[in-house]
Amino acid sequence: MANVSVFNMEGKEVGTMELSDAIFGVSINEHLVHMAVVQHLANKRQGTQKAKTRSEVSGGGRKPWRQKGTGHARQGSTRSPQWKGGGVVFAPVPRDYSFKLNKKEKRAALKSVLTSRVQNNKLIVIDELKFDEIKTKKFKAVLDNFKVSKALVVLAQDDEKVIMSARNLPAVKTSRADMINVYDILKGDTLILTKDAAAKIEEVFA
């Protein structure tokens, strides 16, 4: 089992914690990690883009000139794609970009990125993260204690004071332990877990 240091909010080491190898010590599968990121981004797409084909643009009902004898190339409509104001060839239409990953694949990808954070020393475990008021400055001070500016902060359960304190920091995102995903972990650069959140992750994704 991986043995990691546990810190307090001031950045001082207050103990150690053993992390399960089943979650934080697996062999990294880069292909599944890539697929999980692609799926996350694809599922976020609205898919509402639309352009008109030649059958949908207005006008162009009459043949612009006769078929033969004018010296021009033959034309059937002024709304063909080569004309100004014409339709778009193979125009995009509203569609659903989402696709499915198997449950086991998603879990394997998640375990891979959690393991990579441990191996790259990008995982910080805090004994607890609590504030007596909503204050961005206090949250920023905690990050400064660890020399971190970009992070995903994972809590065992929702804590409004922590979440609201972090909300105005553009490079910081908070998440609940049972709601984490591969994309947010990778984008966050550093992963900060409370001790309870680390235990919750092991419980949920074991």
Side-chain angles (χ1 to χ4, degrees):
M1 285 189 171
N3 213 332
V4 295
S5 299
V6 178
F7 301 90
N8 61 17
M9 289 169 58
E10 285 73 46
K12 295 174 183 173
E13 188 173 342
V14 293
T16 59
M17 180 181 185
E18 285 193 344
L19 298 176
S20 170
D21 283 343
I23 306 292
F24 295 93
V26 301
S27 59
I28 296 173
N29 189 323
E30 290 185 5
H31 173 68
L32 287 182
V33 171
H34 171 74
M35 288 301 295
V37 171
V38 171
Q39 189 217 19
H40 181 87
L41 294 174
N43 290 359
K44 281 177 69 175
R45 292 185 71 172
Q46 285 185 313
T48 54
Q49 74 275 46
K50 175 77 173 77
K52 291 182 178 181
T53 63
R54 61 179 293 175
S55 66
E56 295 168 319
V57 290
S58 61
R62 185 173 64 85
K63 191 172 170 67
W65 50 72
R66 66 181 190 268
Q67 181 83 342
K68 292 179 161 303
T70 63
H72 296 300
R74 52 193 170 189
Q75 300 290 334
S77 168
T78 55
R79 290 299 174 258
S80 294
Q82 72 269 23
W83 284 73
K84 182 177 180 298
V88 179
V89 183
F90 306 129
V93 294
R95 55 170 283 201
D96 180 12
Y97 286 90
S98 65
F99 65 94
K100 185 175 177 290
L101 269 185
N102 292 335
K103 195 173 180 179
K104 285 184 177 179
E105 290 176 325
K106 289 175 82 170
R107 289 209 168 178
L110 185 62
K111 291 175 183 179
S112 291
V113 289
L114 289 172
T115 299
S116 74
R117 285 293 171 259
V118 174
Q119 291 180 357
N120 297 326
N121 295 318
K122 293 284 189 178
L123 176 71
I124 297 171
V125 180
I126 300 178
D127 59 350
E128 65 172 1
L129 196 56
K130 286 197 177 296
F131 298 114
D132 52 8
E133 60 178 335
I134 297 170
K135 202 76 177 171
T136 302
K137 190 183 289 186
K138 289 187 176 182
F139 197 99
K140 180 73 164 59
V142 173
L143 295 180
D144 289 342
N145 290 336
F146 295 101
K147 296 183 173 65
V148 169
S149 58
K150 190 175 184 182
L152 173 67
V153 180
V154 182
L155 310 169
Q157 54 196 14
D158 288 332
D159 185 327
E160 186 186 10
K161 288 176 182 174
V162 175
I163 293 169
M164 297 293 280
S165 295
R167 194 168 66 170
N168 279 342
L169 297 171
V172 176
K173 182 171 183 177
T174 56
S175 177
R176 224 169 54 207
D178 55 353
M179 301 285 286
I180 56 174
N181 62 69
V182 171
Y183 180 78
D184 285 342
I185 294 172
L186 289 174
K187 192 176 181 187
D189 189 42
T190 301
L191 179 62
I192 298 176
L193 306 175
T194 63
K195 200 171 178 180
D196 289 343
K200 183 84 171 176
I201 288 171
E202 291 183 358
E203 178 190 329
V204 172
F205 299 105

